[in-house]
Amino acid sequence: MECFLYCCDNTHDPIPLPDGEDVIAGRKPQFKIKNPKCPRNQVQLTANYAEKEVIVKQLGKIPSSIGIEELNKGETKLLGPGGKICIRRQEYPHFVYFKIIPTIKKSPSKHTYTTEGNKNNIEEIKTSNLTDKQISKKRKIEEGDGNDDSYDHKTTKKAKMRSDTSKDCNTKDEQDVKSTCKDAKDMDSPLKNLQSGSPCTTSTWEEIKQELLIYTRKGVEGRSKIAGFDMDGTIITTKSGKVFPTDAADWKIALPEIPGRLKKLWSDGYKIVFFTNQNGIAKKKVSVPDFKKKVENILEPLNVPIQVLVSPGTGHYRKPCTGMWIHLCTKLNQGIDISKEDSFYIGDAAGRPAGWAPGKKKDFSCSDRAFAANIGIKFQTPEEFFLEKKPATFNMPVFDPKSLDTNGPIYTPSTATLVAKEQEVVVMVGYPASGKSMFCEDHMVPHGYVRVNRDTLGSWQKCVTACRNALAKGKSVVVDNTNPDKESRKRFIECARAAKVPVRCFLMDVSREHAQHNNTVRETLNTDKDYKHVGTMVFNIYRSHYVEPSCDEGFSEILKIKFIPKFKEKSTREFYNQFL
């Protein structure tokens, strides 16, 4: 047996991991890592051939990552065959490969090696590109007895392993593994390797770009009808009676009707899928291994093929965004088109007010109902679906992006002039993400206005100085800050008075809910690493300080500006029009 660490970016040759010997990964020549922020001694890797696993120990102060979990200094984790580790945070991904003789199972369409990994975890190594002749050659390369069902591996000596490493790494067999490693960041679903309509033969966990976890239980198959369910509060509840579980074992099936109803759905031709948000994983309140075990334990008494999609943090996979549903449709249903008319979703986050039933509290959100609305499928609460209760009253989110009026004038009163002919100061007022900067760049800057912005300059004092300097040069100025109160606006009114020019106020006609929607879209689609997160607290501060602008402050005119979104791509428009 041999073990290698492959670079998923293919920037260096495979690194041999001899049995029982410590190999240090980091900013070293063989790893081709030149980033000075990556320690030389970052991670210690020790292969255990007997258990077919690699012990990973974090040495450096900056964490490495295994999946979506970060490994802090002194912590250890185990990697089985095919396990992926990023040497520094989510950078420098590598792939563990044990060169062993697996059990070969043939199917009419392709060959699949199935090997037993650490603690009975099953790893499928795809060999769809290998011919029968290549597979036969593989058997000869590995020392086996030639039996199709099982092979006994003969242990090689470490000295022979080291001497043969260079030669073996250049074989066609190893190049196939490099190809597999290159795709490790976004592993294909096991369902993709099955013929359409064929059940999944093993229970499997997958991870998609550290943003989505997928559990496919044995027997799952693609179907045109989807019975979707939330998990917490719908399928399970806490045994302790507390709102949040105390540990991974604090759960029970929420209603006795659930197992039988799920079995009936399966027999009626539905594919059963759980969609669950688990932000506790990203916040490290729950470990990934513990949560995976919890999911497996939950599905055991239900005794029906179920697929579980887990959003462990924020982003477009998190409900009510439709990322998990889109991934199901495009990657996890064996190419079978899903009928929205025949599909439905059940969840407890339904926007019901306090007292919707005797003694019931207000729903914590409306995300499940909004999720179904975004997809365009029917929705019911657990009480309506499992207990056949009458529908309760509910409230949808305050802001509905589909109702946004994008027609008509961009400002009111429409009789006003947007761009003045003479020099002036314009003070913008509005929530973060209300569209102030986009408006300034589109309608003011092209006409010669100097845009003054605190995010760019760093302080209001620098903004005042920039305003004075621009006015001294005869330029008009637009102050692109939130300016919620009289005090923040007074500074620039005084600049205008000192320069003896008029000052107007442009108030963004955007509600808090609308601005927060814009902010969610911006943060979800953002690709700028330097972007600074805008949290709920910022919106709270603006609202608490807000005083509606008045001409009594010194403004010659106040215009209300309508937010009209712009989209370069159809997919962005579709995302914006969802409840978020």
Side-chain angles (χ1 to χ4, degrees):
M1 179 181 292
E2 296 172 322
C3 182
F4 297 96
L5 189 69
Y6 280 87
C7 176
C8 294
D9 295 328
N10 201 28
T11 60
H12 63 75
D13 292 334
I15 306 294
L17 302 178
D19 187 19
E21 294 188 15
D22 296 339
V23 175
I24 307 300
R27 196 174 76 252
K28 297 174 178 290
Q30 61 267 43
F31 284 90
K32 305 294 185 183
I33 297 175
K34 298 180 181 179
N35 186 349
K37 293 183 179 180
C38 181
R40 289 184 173 84
N41 299 326
Q42 170 70 344
V43 177
Q44 176 181 292
L45 304 164
T46 309
N48 183 339
Y49 286 16
E51 298 293 334
K52 294 197 276 288
E53 65 186 17
V54 173
I55 302 170
V56 181
K57 182 177 181 180
Q58 181 64 29
L59 303 179
K61 292 182 179 180
I62 299 176
S64 58
S65 63
I66 295 178
I68 61 174
E69 279 195 296
E70 288 191 344
L71 200 61
N72 296 313
K73 187 174 182 180
E75 292 182 340
T76 60
K77 291 284 183 181
L78 296 178
L79 278 181
K84 192 184 81 171
I85 177 174
C86 294
I87 302 299
R88 180 185 181 274
R89 299 194 186 278
Q90 294 296 328
E91 300 176 308
Y92 315 116
H94 287 71
F95 188 83
V96 170
Y97 173 59
F98 279 90
K99 188 175 180 182
I100 58 178
I101 296 295
T103 300
I104 299 177
K105 296 180 182 180
K106 290 187 177 182
S107 67
S109 59
K110 58 174 71 177
H111 301 280
T112 302
Y113 287 118
T114 303
T115 67
E116 185 178 26
N118 180 38
K119 299 180 181 178
N120 296 323
N121 289 331
I122 302 300
E123 177 206 7
E124 291 189 350
I125 302 177
K126 302 170 192 173
T127 58
S128 57
N129 294 327
L130 299 184
T131 64
D132 288 339
K133 185 175 180 180
Q134 289 171 320
I135 292 175
S136 177
K137 182 179 179 181
K138 176 183 276 289
R139 296 175 186 165
K140 293 179 182 179
I141 292 175
E142 310 285 359
E143 298 175 350
D145 61 11
N147 189 299
D148 281 351
D149 296 324
S150 63
Y151 293 89
D152 292 327
H153 178 71
K154 298 179 181 179
T155 305
T156 59
K157 295 182 179 179
K158 292 181 184 178
K160 184 177 184 299
M161 181 189 70
R162 292 178 186 137
S163 64
D164 291 345
T165 296
S166 176
K167 178 179 68 176
D168 288 347
C169 284
N170 292 321
T171 65
K172 174 66 170 65
D173 182 36
E174 298 296 331
Q175 294 301 321
D176 290 334
V177 176
K178 282 186 179 181
S179 177
T180 302
C181 171
K182 198 170 184 180
D183 295 334
K185 296 177 183 177
D186 193 357
M187 298 289 286
D188 286 335
S189 166
L191 288 179
K192 189 175 179 180
N193 294 324
L194 301 174
Q195 295 178 355
S196 180
S198 301
C200 185
T201 57
T202 60
S203 297
T204 311
W205 276 101
E206 300 174 78
E207 179 187 326
I208 307 298
K209 298 179 181 178
Q210 294 84 48
E211 296 177 341
L212 181 65
L213 299 175
I214 304 165
Y215 182 61
T216 304
R217 197 163 191 254
K218 181 179 179 180
V220 167
E221 62 186 19
R223 292 181 173 183
S224 62
K225 298 188 297 182
I226 301 298
F229 296 86
D230 177 41
M231 194 168 75
D232 296 298
T234 299
I235 298 297
I236 62 170
T237 187
T238 60
K239 285 192 296 187
S240 65
K242 296 182 178 180
V243 176
F244 299 104
T246 56
D247 54 40
D250 185 17
W251 66 270
K252 64 179 181 179
I253 300 300
L255 297 167
E257 292 83 358
I258 290 175
R261 193 67 188 272
L262 295 184
K263 290 178 182 177
K264 180 68 164 54
L265 286 170
W266 177 258
S267 65
D268 288 345
Y270 284 90
K271 178 180 179 180
I272 302 171
V273 185
F274 293 173
F275 301 88
T276 177
N277 292 342
Q278 296 293 332
N279 201 30
I281 295 177
K283 293 180 177 179
K284 295 192 175 181
K285 293 181 179 179
V286 182
S287 72
V288 172
D290 285 348
F291 183 76
K292 286 182 176 181
K293 189 63 178 176
K294 178 179 179 178
V295 169
E296 294 170 14
N297 290 339
I298 291 168
L299 267 56
E300 193 64 33
L302 298 177
N303 196 29
V304 66
I306 296 174
Q307 195 163 50
V308 183
L309 279 72
V310 184
S311 172
T314 59
H316 70 285
Y317 287 116
R318 182 175 175 81
K319 295 181 297 183
C321 297
T322 57
M324 288 194 285
W325 175 267
I326 292 172
H327 193 82
L328 168 70
C329 295
T330 57
K331 301 290 186 181
L332 302 176
N333 207 45
Q334 298 172 294
I336 297 175
D337 291 336
I338 294 174
S339 169
K340 290 184 179 181
E341 291 183 356
D342 296 321
S343 300
F344 60 84
Y345 182 71
I346 312 299
D348 66 313
R352 294 169 292 185
W356 60 267
K360 292 292 186 180
K361 296 181 180 180
K362 174 184 177 182
D363 287 343
F364 71 92
S365 80
C366 192
S367 59
D368 285 327
R369 193 183 295 272
F371 179 61
N374 286 338
I375 296 168
I377 59 176
K378 295 182 287 291
F379 174 82
Q380 284 185 303
T381 64
E383 293 78 10
E384 294 164 10
F385 183 77
F386 291 114
L387 303 179
E388 298 183 354
K389 298 288 186 181
K390 293 183 179 179
T393 58
F394 64 90
N395 297 308
M396 290 298 286
V398 175
F399 175 69
D400 182 357
K402 296 186 184 68
S403 66
L404 189 64
D405 179 17
T406 58
N407 298 317
I410 194 173
Y411 60 91
T412 55
S414 58
T415 55
T417 301
L418 188 64
V419 178
K421 295 180 180 180
E422 64 276 357
Q423 187 185 13
E424 69 167 345
V425 173
V426 172
V427 177
M428 302 296 299
V429 175
Y431 275 103
S434 59
K436 300 182 300 298
S437 297
M438 183 176 72
F439 173 82
C440 292
E441 292 293 343
D442 289 348
H443 299 282
M444 309 303 288
V445 173
H447 293 280
Y449 284 73
V450 174
R451 175 174 168 261
V452 173
N453 176 254
R454 184 171 179 172
D455 290 339
T456 304
L457 297 176
S459 69
W460 67 263
Q461 292 89 343
K462 291 182 178 180
C463 289
V464 170
T465 301
C467 180
R468 287 172 179 167
N469 292 339
L471 290 172
K473 295 178 182 178
K475 298 284 188 179
S476 289
V477 176
V478 57
V479 182
D480 176 20
N481 296 331
T482 58
N483 299 314
D485 52 22
K486 291 182 179 181
E487 182 181 358
S488 59
R489 299 190 286 261
K490 182 180 179 182
R491 300 161 186 155
F492 302 102
I493 294 172
E494 289 178 347
C495 287
R497 284 175 178 168
K500 297 181 180 180
V501 299
V503 55
R504 293 190 293 167
C505 174
F506 286 6
L507 173 63
M508 297 302 299
D509 191 13
V510 174
S511 67
R512 172 180 173 149
E513 293 79 13
H514 185 179
Q516 287 185 299
H517 179 89
N518 290 349
N519 186 59
T520 300
V521 172
R522 181 168 66 184
E523 296 204 340
T524 303
L525 303 180
N526 174 62
T527 58
D528 183 4
K529 294 181 179 180
D530 296 326
Y531 174 78
K532 295 181 180 179
H533 170 68
V534 179
T536 303
M537 183 63 71
V538 178
F539 291 89
N540 291 340
I541 292 173
Y542 179 91
R543 183 174 61 180
S544 65
H545 289 182
Y546 178 73
V547 176
E548 187 170 354
S550 167
C551 288
D552 293 340
E553 297 176 47
F555 295 118
S556 61
E557 189 177 36
I558 298 175
L559 272 62
K560 285 190 174 182
I561 308 298
K562 183 192 297 185
F563 175 82
I564 299 179
K566 298 188 304 181
F567 308 103
K568 293 182 179 179
E569 299 177 0
K570 180 183 176 181
S571 60
T572 307
R573 178 189 295 274
E574 291 174 348
F575 182 74
Y576 186 90
N577 285 334
Q578 296 180 19
F579 291 110
L580 301 176

